[in-house]
Amino acid sequence: MFRDSRRSRVLLAVLVAVAVALLVLDARPGANPVTSVARAGGELVFAPAAAGVTWATGPVSGLYEGLVSGPESERVAELEQANAELEDDLRAARIDKARAEQLDAMLGLAGLGGYEIVPAQSVTHVTARGYADTVTIDAGTDSGVRPDMTVVNGSGLVGKVIEAGPSTATVMLATDVNSAVGARLEATRKIGVVRGGTVPGGPDAELTLELFDLQAPVEAGDRLVTLGSHEGAPFVPGVPIGTVEEVQVAPGALSRLARIAPAVDFSSLDVVGVVVGGPEEDPRDSVLPPRPDKGERS
């Protein structure tokens, strides 16, 4: 045990001085008999201490190496893999739940309108035959899908089928610049055409309404449904198209133009349905969802 006393302090000072001198001598080039003997003596003195330190730290370093490269590391890798698989399963479950909700909403729309539908999934956006805004779906002629059939989802009108193969079909979206859908205003029953994109003289829009009657009352918040085509091709009646956002009257125009907010979110299409059988009678406005303030007014 080292005690703090005058003698011990003197001894410590002498040892420090000797150590410094040895370091200076040892730094000189060439062999030096004095430092060689001192170094050998130092090794005899400090070797047991160094061995003690090695013995004490050996188990710790061995444990670390075991964690890194041994069975414990393999266990960590297994847990990480299991966690990744669990995250994938949860993600898939959330997707399946979302698709089930979309399918349920679409079946509800079909029930209200009296439409017979074939469910499908929007696979990918494509460019077909000069059309700018089209998607491929995973249902085709084997499922009864044909060109000029209406395509919907749980919110409203998606577009129409333009090509069909045995197991896939191409759908032109209502937002395509080549799209033109006969439309009817919910309240006034005034008719017009909803075109994809912006029309000349009209406001910037995904959908634009051309209303033929310049005197027809129309304002923001008015809703539109499909007018319906002859024998339901390519569009069955009563499908929600969208809501008027802005009305514009161009000088000298023969129609009124309005920007329409689509009922469908075209940026996230997933579950859709092809209407393979139209309703026995026009559902009118029965497919439109209740207005948010309807309950407050009643």
Side-chain angles (χ1 to χ4, degrees):
M1 182 177 293
F2 185 84
R3 294 181 180 177
D4 187 10
S5 64
R6 182 177 180 183
R7 181 179 177 184
S8 62
R9 291 177 182 175
V10 172
L11 178 60
L12 179 60
V14 171
L15 290 174
V16 170
V18 171
V20 171
L22 288 174
L23 287 172
V24 172
L25 291 173
D26 194 41
R28 294 178 178 178
N32 190 303
V34 177
T35 58
S36 298
V37 173
R39 188 183 299 110
E43 289 177 357
L44 290 174
V45 173
F46 293 109
V53 171
T54 303
W55 176 83
T57 60
V60 177
S61 60
L63 176 61
Y64 174 77
E65 292 174 359
L67 286 173
V68 172
S69 60
E72 199 66 30
S73 175
E74 295 176 1
R75 177 58 179 160
V76 169
E78 290 175 1
L79 289 174
E80 289 177 347
Q81 178 64 26
N83 186 52
E85 292 174 357
L86 179 59
E87 288 179 353
D88 289 341
D89 290 344
L90 289 173
R91 191 178 299 110
R94 285 193 292 269
I95 291 172
D96 288 344
K97 181 181 178 183
R99 285 177 178 161
E101 291 172 349
Q102 292 178 44
L103 179 60
D104 186 59
M106 187 174 65
L107 292 176
L109 181 145
L112 289 172
Y115 313 130
E116 181 184 349
I117 64 170
V118 170
Q121 186 177 344
S122 173
V123 178
T124 182
H125 277 75
V126 295
T127 301
R129 292 195 313 173
Y131 296 100
D133 218 355
T134 58
V135 296
T136 297
I137 60 173
D138 61 355
T141 54
D142 290 348
S143 303
V145 175
R146 300 286 186 275
D148 283 340
M149 285 183 167
T150 309
V151 181
V152 301
N153 71 0
S155 299
L157 181 68
V158 172
K160 69 175 182 178
V161 177
I162 55 173
E163 293 179 354
S167 58
T168 63
T170 302
V171 176
M172 180 179 68
L173 303 182
T175 52
D176 190 278
V177 294
N178 298 292
S179 175
V181 184
R184 178 176 52 78
L185 283 167
E186 172 188 14
T188 65
R189 304 194 183 280
K190 295 297 182 179
I191 63 173
V193 176
V194 172
R195 301 187 186 278
T198 302
V199 302
D204 234 9
E206 281 191 280
L207 297 175
T208 301
L209 168 66
E210 291 186 69
L211 195 61
F212 301 137
D213 187 351
L214 283 171
Q215 306 305 317
V218 57
E219 59 185 20
D222 289 346
R223 299 185 293 181
L224 293 154
V225 297
T226 52
L227 179 63
S229 308
H230 178 64
E231 296 185 349
F235 297 107
V236 294
V239 180
I241 299 174
T243 305
V244 175
E245 283 190 323
E246 177 188 346
V247 182
Q248 180 174 319
V249 180
L254 299 177
S255 61
R256 302 180 74 182
L257 303 177
R259 181 173 67 238
I260 305 301
V264 168
D265 182 0
F266 289 96
S267 66
S268 59
L269 286 177
D270 191 1
V271 177
V272 299
V274 181
V275 181
V276 295
E280 294 182 1
E281 58 183 26
D282 189 343
R284 300 286 181 177
D285 300 330
S286 63
V287 184
L288 286 168
R291 288 185 178 274
D293 57 352
K294 186 175 181 180
E296 297 176 7
R297 292 178 180 178
S298 59

